[in-house]
Amino acid sequence: GLWKPLHNLTCSRFMLISRFPFLALFLDGYSQITLIQTPLSVTRAVTKTARMACKITGVTFNSAFIHWYRQRPGAAPERILYIESGSANMDAGFDSKRFEAEKIVSTSTCNLKVHQLTREDAATYYCAYWDLFGSGTKIIVTGKLCGNYSNLLPHSDEQAGKVSYMCLIEDFYPDVIKVTWEDDNKNAEKNGVHEEIWPSDDNNSSYSMSSWLTVDKNSTKNYRCKYQHETNENGFATIESPGIYYIIKTSSIYI
């Protein structure tokens, strides 16, 4: 039968295992399931189509029930549909001509398309399997999409044996972005500190943000500030030696 996501399952696992020890093996396997949802955001004009994908590992994908939810600002999530195989099963209030889901078994991916976008479709969309949810894809319904500059500034003066680098990302829209740091061997650096995203003007027509990385002053590594945005899924700025100022220009797209 159909298993809808059980939102209280995580809180109940200890109780379930205590009462039913044979469930321990099942829940251990369940913990290995991952949902990778892309992209972070989709910006489209009214009447256009928005697309997103959810890659799921750790399950028997061809028989798995995958759910898609929509969460509007300030509202509770509402399920759009679920799909096992063949056509999706729609929840009340959702039109199968506008909301289309498909499962690609060869890549363990479930795709969702929202056709004929309206302003009311602006929301965050989540894929789900049981009580596990993807990270979400935000749909912005507008005619504007831009990404401008990523600046990596040289390290600051030494303080307490540490030096800091700042990555400044300017003039991007929409305000959905992911920033990480890594060294020249692509090892993730965990000491990055991200400032709040702020609007570049009073009209919220574009946004900026900064991120800091503090490292040991004796480090000989090079560092990369990486960012993911609709305009550039793999943008980065690299610093190789003190005193060098880098500017990377990303693409601009107008829809």
Side-chain angles (χ1 to χ4, degrees):
L2 169 65
W3 286 91
K4 293 182 68 175
L6 306 177
H7 298 282
N8 61 347
L9 180 61
T10 301
C11 299
S12 305
R13 287 176 183 173
F14 179 78
M15 181 180 68
L16 285 170
I17 292 173
S18 298
R19 295 182 61 184
F20 307 102
F22 65 87
L23 285 177
L25 182 62
F26 166 76
L27 292 175
D28 180 63
Y30 180 81
S31 67
Q32 305 304 312
I33 298 171
T34 61
L35 285 73
I36 302 174
Q37 189 173 336
T38 55
L40 292 172
S41 65
V42 179
T43 303
R44 293 290 184 271
V46 172
T47 75
K48 298 297 184 180
T49 297
R51 298 171 176 82
M52 61 200 75
C54 183
K55 183 176 178 62
I56 304 176
T57 61
V59 303
T60 304
F61 186 78
N62 61 345
S63 60
F65 286 95
I66 311 302
H67 308 255
W68 283 96
Y69 284 80
R70 178 177 70 185
Q71 185 173 24
R72 289 171 169 157
E78 50 185 344
R79 193 176 67 173
I80 303 168
L81 56 83
Y82 68 87
I83 184 171
E84 180 194 19
S85 60
S87 300
N89 297 275
M90 309 301 299
D91 278 45
F94 292 96
D95 185 353
S96 61
K97 293 181 180 179
R98 292 215 310 118
F99 296 89
E100 177 189 357
E102 63 174 347
K103 291 175 68 177
I104 311 299
V105 176
S106 61
T107 58
S108 298
T109 301
C110 185
N111 298 324
L112 177 69
K113 298 178 183 178
V114 185
H115 302 287
Q116 292 294 312
L117 284 170
T118 69
R119 297 287 181 183
E120 288 68 35
D121 293 319
T124 302
Y125 293 73
Y126 298 92
C127 60
Y129 175 79
W130 281 58
D131 67 333
L132 301 177
F133 283 74
S135 55
T137 295
K138 185 175 182 179
I139 291 183
I140 298 97
V141 183
T142 183
K144 176 180 60 178
L145 173 61
C146 62
N148 221 352
Y149 295 99
S150 169
N151 304 335
L152 187 62
L153 305 183
H155 70 71
S156 65
D157 293 336
E158 176 187 341
Q159 292 184 355
K162 303 286 186 179
V163 292
S164 297
Y165 298 90
M166 186 183 80
C167 182
L168 176 62
I169 303 171
E170 298 180 304
D171 299 330
F172 57 87
Y173 185 93
D175 62 339
V176 183
I177 193 167
K178 180 180 181 181
V179 179
T180 56
W181 289 85
E182 65 181 29
D183 64 21
D184 45 9
N185 292 319
K186 296 187 177 182
N187 297 313
E189 292 288 337
K190 303 298 186 181
N191 296 325
V193 177
H194 310 308
E195 300 289 342
E196 293 291 332
I197 296 173
W198 67 86
S200 300
D201 54 45
D202 293 337
N203 297 321
N204 294 340
S205 60
S206 65
Y207 295 87
S208 299
M209 75 165 293
S210 61
S211 179
W212 294 85
L213 176 68
T214 301
V215 299
D216 188 278
K217 69 171 184 177
N218 296 318
S219 173
T220 59
K221 296 179 180 179
N222 302 321
Y223 298 97
R224 289 157 52 103
C225 168
K226 297 184 63 179
Y227 58 92
Q228 290 178 273
H229 187 260
E230 264 186 77
T231 58
N232 197 330
E233 283 292 320
N234 295 290
F236 66 90
T238 306
I239 188 165
E240 298 177 351
S241 61
I244 297 179
Y245 184 85
Y246 289 84
I247 298 178
I248 303 288
K249 191 176 191 310
T250 67
S251 61
S252 296
I253 305 174
Y254 294 90
I255 300 170

